[in-house]
Amino acid sequence: MMENSVHYIELSKNLIRFDAVSQLTNVFFDDSNKQIFAVRSGGTTGVVVKGPSEDKIISFCMNDRGPIRSIKFSPNNQILAVQRRENSVEFICFQGDQPSLQNIIVHQVKALVYGFVWVHNRECALISNAGVEIFTIITEKNQVKSLKSMSMSIKWFAWCSESNIAILSTTDSNHTLMPILIKQKSITKLPKLELSNPNREVQESKVTLGQIYGIMAVLILQAASDSGMIEVEVYLLNGPGLAPRKSHVLRLGLVGCFAINTLDNLIVVHHQASATSLVFDIALSGEVINEVTYHKPITTPRNIRPFALKLPSLSPDDSTNWVLFQPNIVIDAKLGCMWYLNLDIEAFCTLISDRIRLTEFLLQRESGKPVLLKVLKQLVQDQYNGSLLPVLETIFNKVNKIYASWVQTELQNQTAQPSNVKTTAKSAAPPKVLIEQLDMYSHVFQPIAGKPQCETILLLYLQSLEKHNVAAQEELSKLLITELIRNQNYETLRRLVSYSLIMESKTIACFLLSHSNEAPVITQVALDMLSKIKANDIIIEVLLGQSKVVDALRLAKHTTTLDDMSISARKFLEAALKTGDDMIFYSVFKFFQMRNLKQHGSMDFLKTEQCAEFVQHYNNMETKE
């Protein structure tokens, strides 16, 4: 793949088409419900609402009561809020998909209304230059009722629907922004956001709100004081009671007009002049100055992958008409198209040459798992050379750190409550990318089985598991055993079993025994493992198979009571007879005679034990003497 043809951002293939803006049609977008409104002739000839997907369509007509400034549905699409004037909002109730136009509720205030947001199906928050007010729409009485209000002089506001937080710029301070949490019947002031440059007023157009790694972030475009280049200052609202602080700065290295999206916890900054996009990940390391991390783009700026519409006369390539909404929406009102921005994760594999940094990046992406497994497969297969071992070791440790944490969490969840106690507590969400041993075995290690590097790589991975206190599982243990035996590395095999670094189970021990014909030491290693897990029944069978009947009988005596009839006389006598050693047979036969005497007062064997042939053999031995 040629690097110049690589694009890491693309428009969604399933776009939403709507009536393009014209002299008769106005277009509005509600970033909370992700709905786009095409309003023809003020609504008299039709309003078509689409989103968040192409198949979600609401179509209706309404009276033209003046130019529309903003239009939004309630979350359940049953009340339509329309702002036509600077000091009022009207509400139209719906029955199904059609409006009830005879009862329009108008809420008028003595202030300049900047906008409104829906808090619940019947609750709306109005933000004006005089403050914030939450009110409920009582459709049955055709009126509104104020529930909560907060007075302050506001210059502008920005809204994040994902976190229900508004950022207010107030007239009493140019160097602070006021975050407020708006929920049903409540307005909560959060700690103020202190701007890094108190002498520079922040404009509304320079502020973007979004959720990054589950934390509310305020992104502010600012010119760097030293170079004049534009930077993005990232303020994180870390939690209740904690003041927002500037935690990160994104160095764009460019000047001009910019727009910002957040996509899969990445910050995507679009540069209008060059028609390129820069991608930043605040989870990656950067240069730390005064507790602020400065980041460069993950890779060089790229334009969005070209996209062709079915109508040849129309082209979306003219991005100057695009308007961006959070978190990842692109609207071209002149073209009548709405897209979602998508990330092409695999493109970063070509653009990020540092495999460790690429791993860190992929571990944070929603669809990073298959891509990371593919990268690992390439590293151990086609791209492998001895110098990559330190890189692989670091990658294994990063992968297994997450894996070990998940294993520990799962164990705690399983042991936190007694089995007879019902709990409604939800288990923790798995990490974005969880690569377990079976994933590594199936996708990475199995394809290189039998190759010269396989043993070394498996031992490296096993070492990483041990470092993170994760026990090796069956498939991985079997593959490693196979490689060690193939390479005749028996001493390493013995040490792994001695230090319990591979799985200890009857299955693994039997797997070892199945290779015992290749070297005597393998049998001993298997016996060592069986002894550690106290699998004496299998050890006895192995000893009998090796004609070590007396040793097997001695072990059986230690693991059962002397008068326990569970010790099969026939099995031991048969093994003793096969040795061809009369002394061994005599000793074993005498042992069982004494057992019989203690068990039922006679040296004779019970008929059910089927030992007649061995009694005959013993009698023949006595006769010969």
Side-chain angles (χ1 to χ4, degrees), residues 96-166:
D97 287 345
Q98 295 304 310
S100 178
L101 297 174
Q102 65 273 21
N103 296 318
I104 297 177
I105 306 169
V106 179
H107 181 57
Q108 189 166 329
V109 296
K110 296 179 180 179
L112 176 64
V113 176
Y114 292 135
F116 60 90
V117 294
W118 283 98
V119 181
H120 196 254
N121 290 333
R122 289 196 175 195
E123 286 186 27
C124 193
L126 205 69
I127 297 98
S128 69
N129 63 345
V132 182
E133 177 193 14
I134 298 178
F135 52 88
T136 183
I137 297 93
I138 307 173
T139 56
E140 299 81 5
K141 296 183 179 180
N142 207 37
Q143 65 182 37
V144 301
K145 177 184 177 183
S146 180
L147 299 174
K148 189 78 174 179
S149 64
M150 182 179 69
S151 297
M152 64 171 62
S153 297
I154 299 173
K155 290 188 289 188
W156 55 262
F157 83 100
W159 172 250
C160 179
S161 59
E162 293 177 280
S163 56
N164 287 341
I165 290 178

Side-chain angles (χ1 to χ4, degrees), residues 228-518:
M229 294 290 182
I230 302 299
E231 297 178 335
V232 178
E233 296 180 346
V234 182
Y235 295 81
L236 298 179
L237 278 64
N238 291 300
L242 298 175
R245 70 179 192 90
K246 185 171 78 171
S247 305
H248 303 269
V249 172
L250 315 181
R251 288 173 167 163
L252 307 183
L254 297 166
V255 295
C257 296
F258 297 88
I260 298 176
N261 282 121
T262 55
L263 180 59
D264 197 6
N265 292 312
L266 298 171
I267 300 171
V268 183
V269 184
H270 308 281
H271 184 224
Q272 187 181 59
S274 63
T276 58
S277 302
L278 302 89
V279 176
F280 296 85
D281 186 355
I282 63 172
L284 297 181
S285 59
E287 181 185 3
V288 180
I289 303 174
N290 296 328
E291 298 183 348
V292 177
T293 306
Y294 289 76
H295 300 267
K296 293 180 180 179
I298 294 172
T299 183
T300 53
R302 299 272 158 175
N303 56 3
I304 295 174
R305 178 173 284 125
F307 184 90
L309 295 173
K310 291 183 179 179
L311 297 176
S313 60
L314 299 177
S315 171
D317 291 340
D318 185 8
S319 58
T320 56
N321 295 327
W322 290 2
V323 181
L324 305 183
F325 294 91
Q326 299 311 310
N328 63 328
I329 292 168
V330 176
I331 293 177
D332 190 324
K334 288 188 176 180
L335 201 58
C337 295
M338 170 178 153
W339 298 271
Y340 291 94
L341 287 179
N342 292 332
L343 206 62
D344 183 355
I345 295 292
E346 291 207 34
F348 289 94
C349 299
T350 303
L351 298 170
I352 303 176
S353 58
D354 184 338
R355 301 289 97 173
I356 294 174
R357 195 162 180 83
L358 176 62
T359 298
E360 294 171 340
F361 172 80
L362 293 175
L363 284 172
Q364 300 291 349
R365 308 284 74 81
E366 290 289 349
S367 57
K369 180 173 180 175
V371 181
L372 181 52
L373 286 170
K374 184 178 178 181
V375 169
L376 283 167
K377 183 179 178 181
Q378 291 171 344
L379 283 174
V380 303
Q381 200 164 15
D382 303 332
Q383 301 173 0
Y384 178 78
N385 60 64
S387 63
L388 278 177
L389 287 177
V391 174
L392 283 171
E393 181 181 14
T394 303
I395 292 175
F396 288 162
N397 285 334
K398 289 183 180 297
V399 167
N400 287 330
K401 182 179 180 181
I402 296 171
Y403 175 42
S405 177
W406 172 248
V407 169
Q408 188 63 33
T409 301
E410 287 293 282
L411 287 174
Q412 289 173 353
N413 289 339
Q414 292 170 11
T415 58
Q417 291 282 356
S419 58
N420 61 339
V421 176
K422 292 184 178 180
T423 177
T424 56
K426 295 181 180 179
S427 58
K432 290 182 178 62
V433 175
L434 176 64
I435 297 182
E436 302 176 78
Q437 290 183 54
L438 192 57
D439 298 318
M440 293 293 291
Y441 169 79
S442 302
H443 298 279
V444 181
F445 299 140
Q446 201 173 35
I448 61 170
K451 294 189 176 181
Q453 70 268 31
C454 186
E455 178 190 318
T456 302
I457 292 171
L458 285 172
L459 287 171
L460 198 64
Y461 182 72
L462 186 69
Q463 176 185 320
S464 177
L465 288 178
E466 195 274 334
K467 178 180 179 180
H468 293 90
N469 297 313
V470 178
Q473 293 176 349
E474 182 177 314
E475 295 302 329
L476 180 70
S477 298
K478 283 183 176 180
L479 182 58
L480 181 53
I481 289 168
T482 301
E483 291 299 317
L484 291 170
I485 292 175
R486 186 178 65 83
N487 296 327
Q488 298 182 2
N489 198 345
Y490 304 124
E491 179 58 24
T492 300
L493 178 60
R494 186 192 65 77
R495 288 182 180 179
L496 291 179
V497 172
S498 175
Y499 292 107
S500 302
L501 295 178
I502 58 177
M503 185 177 183
E504 294 176 337
S505 69
K506 290 183 179 181
T507 303
I508 295 296
C510 291
F511 182 75
L512 280 164
L513 290 170
S514 68
H515 292 80
S516 58
N517 61 328
E518 298 185 38

